[in-house]
Amino acid sequence: MTAWYIWQVGADLAPSMTSILVMEGIAAFTFFRLRRAVVVGIEIAAVFGYVAAFQPRVELRFTSPIVVTGVRATIPLAWGAPAPATAGTLAADRLAAYGLALDRLQSSARFADGRLVLPDLQYVHYGGRGSGSIEAAVGASPVPLRTRIEGEHIDLAAVTQAFGLTVAHLTGRVHYFFVLEHSTAHGLIAVGQANSEEGGGEVGIEALEKLLNSAKVQGESTGMLRKTLEALRVFRYASLDASVRVAPGGGHVSLSLEGRKRLGIFPPPVKAINFSNVPLALLVRTFARKETK
């Protein structure tokens, strides 16, 4: 049996996630009844089939909206039956969440007993590329969402531009690893690590530039404050190491920047800059704030 649907749907994804899945688009479903079975006195039908769908927009209203556009999928389905031997495919133009975006996503895909699995996700963003896996459950599940991604050659200048940062900017390229899991027992847990690639980069603090131009700094007698600010205003780093951890109580970021030697042999003006366990909310307020005129 094959049925075509044109829809706009809103539905609970998983009770433990307190989120809503909103979809609109066109889909064709083909189902075949495989067998009947009796489990604890209840007769059930084990079925398999496939779905072919085009979704212009899929939105998961989570702690922050997760929006996927241009979704194209042909996915085998199984419920109460063995997982399909042949995987389907899923592709999307863009996934946008938490101010960041992944472009040109593609993966093989399976849907069995209410769980969508994308085991070999590939994507590009910010001048680099990434890969990973996503598992998402429809309905009740102890772990309704689990994802692991890693990327390389990510252009930090492109990232800061996408965020619209006006207080600080970064240059250089990094690779990263990020794991996210949402469970009924622990809620949302996310852990990530980023490290600079060869060549390092620069950190510029525009807020300090304003201090350099102020009358108070210009009039400082010893000149030590001005020299210190000049050293920090453009900090050239040889290595960058950052980590982030998000839990139900909030998120924290740690960052370590090692100064780059001058001419390759002389000590840098500032050896290192280190921040430990800075609240993520504070960083967002400080560095993503738009200046008002």
Side-chain angles (χ1 to χ4, degrees), residues 2-19:
T2 301
W4 285 90
Y5 294 89
I6 300 177
W7 73 45
Q8 182 170 356
V9 178
D12 291 319
L13 182 65
S16 63
M17 295 176 69
T18 61
S19 58

Side-chain angles (χ1 to χ4, degrees), residues 262-283:
R262 292 174 292 179
L263 302 177
I265 56 174
F266 299 106
V270 177
K271 185 177 181 180
I273 299 177
N274 298 289
F275 300 95
S276 297
N277 296 319
V278 179
L280 186 58
L282 175 62
L283 287 181

